[in-house]
Amino acid sequence: MKIAIVCYPTFGGSGVVATELGLELARRGHEIHFITYSQPVRLELLNANVHYHEVNVPEYPLFHYQPYELALSSKLVDMVKLHKIDLLHVHYAIPHAYAGYMAKQMLKSEGIKIPMVTTLHGTDITLVGNHPFYKTAVTFSINKSDVVTSVSQNLKDETYSLFDIKKDIHVIPNFIELDKIKNKSKIATNRSLMANEEEKIITHISNFRKVKRIPDVIDIFYKIQQTIPSKLMMVGDGPEKEEAENLCFKLGISDKVIFFGNSNEIDKILSFTDLFLLPSETESFGLAALEAMAWGVPVISSNTGGLPEVNFDGISGYLSVAGNTQEMAENAIKILKNETTLLKFKNNATTIAQRFDIKNIVSLYENLYNEVLNKFK
């Protein structure tokens, strides 16, 4: 198959999933064309089956905001015709599903019919898509998609509750490339650069938006370090980062917290992590939690959104109501204070993560591709 993948090329979960999906499909012999405004952060072009096409948005004084949707839909039309692409797979409802629909209509006028798969990732539905300014267009775009998938059952339920959706939504969870982790299991990293031997390493990874409840991460760690000698690794960047740094200073724990910013060495950090914190207000899936679990790291998280579908309470970690930092800290200490308990949770986290191996999940997408392509024949 020749598949065009449209996604946001940033460190966000949807872009990471779309990129890893495309790379695995390429390894299976499919020809993959990434179409977006910059090269995805995890895209490796050393593969004859992987292609990247940049969407250029020309600046024009008339427009206060540059019309990315128009540039994207035009680029999609050009690439479909040039490379004889069989199928569009767009990640994120806006603007990608909308641009994809417009591209389909332009192609249809030239006698070219092409199916479009739309994957819903979370904030495109729960935060942005539900805004009155966008709701009508998002509803239309989803209903006009040929196949719709969501990354969790919770997101599927939310989509049906927020929008008047007539389409079936297939749940295909996010995934992790376990072979890559196995290959990097002997990463040559000096743990002593992050913490002393007697200290536990606790990690949080996110885009530092308000929905991630960054002050709660700091509060949970503050409570943990009063009982368990530990260091906190804060990985990522965003609007809440400066406030978090100030909070650490006020609490007198700045020497115990390392802010990495956006990092390409997440695997190295997770390989030495003992506990992962994700107390978000909501998570459509919890990809960061899954990545931690794949490294054998138990997770302390909120119980919102799709997190209970990934982090199993009392097995791979613990779930609590968002904002209950006291319970989260107590559960964290419960895991960390005893090496036997910690090892049990680490082993359980690894076992559960294996259910989400990319080899299992990508086959589900391939099956959907084949089904929709057969309908278009």
Side-chain angles (χ1 to χ4, degrees), residues 154 211 278-286 301-309 319-323:
N154 176 266
V211 70
L278 195 65
S280 308
E281 189 71 32
T282 186
E283 290 280 348
S284 60
F285 177 81
S301 74
S302 52
N303 61 0
T304 59
L307 280 168
E309 300 174 43
L319 299 164
S320 298
V321 174

Side-chain angles (χ1 to χ4, degrees), residues 310-341:
V310 181
N311 182 24
F312 293 6
D313 191 45
I315 301 174
S316 59
Y318 285 104
L319 299 164
S320 298
V321 174
N324 191 345
T325 58
Q326 181 62 40
E327 182 178 275
M328 291 181 185
E330 290 172 358
N331 286 333
I333 293 168
K334 195 186 303 181
I335 292 174
L336 293 171
K337 70 179 180 181
N338 181 283
E339 289 298 325
T340 301
T341 302

